[in-house]
Amino acid sequence: MLNSSRLFAGIAASALALALTACATAGGGTVAEPTPIGASTQEPTAAPSPTTSETPVDAEDPSTWVVTAAGIGPVELGMTLPDAIGVMPEGTTNDTDRCAWAAWWSAPDGGYQVVTARPGDASEDGPVDLVASMTLPESTGVTGPLTPEGIGVGSTLEEVQAAYPGADFMDTSDGSAVGGRRFIQLEGTIFLTFYEGAETVSEITVTTHATPPYELCA
């Protein structure tokens, strides 16, 4: 069996923003020339910096992809796995012998991965029910897919709670958080995973599951 952290490690090892005022002097001083009718009295302001959602998306560069409740970048929940693989970057792997229901891509520097999967018992063209970006626990400085608020793998708990006030760990006393994992749920289908003892996001997952599954390939 292979959990998501071990899957990442295994694959990584083998391939991650002025107004102007006219002034006049009193008593015979020079008066500023009047502004022509219709002329602007303001200098053009610089265009605001693009937000994450306005940044151009490059299908071959998942670091430009945006995480939404629908999926990550072009990979969306409900697509068939073959279609999902078709929009993932060159170099995406689908091991049809050992893990036919999942596909993954690794960043050239090995810093993170993008993974998608369908249910293991579904047909070959079954719908994708999970898309994730993952890195190793305690990784920092990782540039992977981000939410519109700028959160992704490598983000700290402090950054998450600043971007999403009120965000807190889910109650997983039902035993759903196996493997020392803790979850923060965003927007229903978006989950952030922190591993025990880690203060940075190890995985950001969009899934129809109640919580991100522990094992992708079993």
Side-chain angles (χ1 to χ4, degrees), residues 23-79:
C23 46
T25 59
T30 301
V31 179
E33 292 186 6
T35 301
I37 295 174
S40 172
T41 58
Q42 265 191 328
E43 291 182 355
T45 56
S49 297
T51 62
T52 301
S53 60
E54 295 172 336
T55 302
V57 174
D58 181 348
E60 290 295 314
D61 182 4
S63 70
T64 68
W65 293 5
V66 179
V67 181
T68 70
I72 300 181
V75 186
E76 298 187 344
L77 300 176
M79 300 177 76

Side-chain angles (χ1 to χ4, degrees), residues 167-170 183-192 209-210:
D168 205 352
F169 292 109
M170 296 174 60
F183 305 123
I184 292 179
Q185 186 174 15
L186 308 174
E187 299 183 46
T189 60
I190 305 175
F191 296 83
L192 306 178
H209 292 264

Side-chain angles (χ1 to χ4, degrees), residues 122-165:
S123 63
E124 292 183 3
D125 59 353
V128 162
D129 64 355
L130 176 149
V131 191
S133 171
M134 56 182 65
T135 190
L136 295 172
E138 292 294 1
S139 293
T140 58
V142 181
T143 306
L146 302 174
T147 68
E149 289 74 17
I151 296 301
V153 294
S155 295
T156 65
L157 178 58
E158 182 179 358
E159 290 170 337
V160 171
Q161 293 177 326
Y164 297 93

Side-chain angles (χ1 to χ4, degrees), residues 129-130 170-172 174-178 181 183 185 188-189 191 193 205 207-214:
D129 64 355
L130 176 149
M170 296 174 60
D171 178 4
T172 52
D174 61 355
S176 58
V178 298
R181 299 177 303 161
F183 305 123
Q185 186 174 15
T189 60
F191 296 83
T193 299
T205 306
T207 183
T208 57
H209 292 264
T211 57
Y214 180 55

Side-chain angles (χ1 to χ4, degrees), residues 70-99:
I72 300 181
V75 186
E76 298 187 344
L77 300 176
M79 300 177 76
T80 67
L81 184 60
D83 284 347
I85 294 173
V87 297
M88 290 178 71
E90 184 178 354
T92 294
T93 298
N94 172 226
D95 188 337
T96 57
D97 291 330
R98 295 183 298 174
C99 197

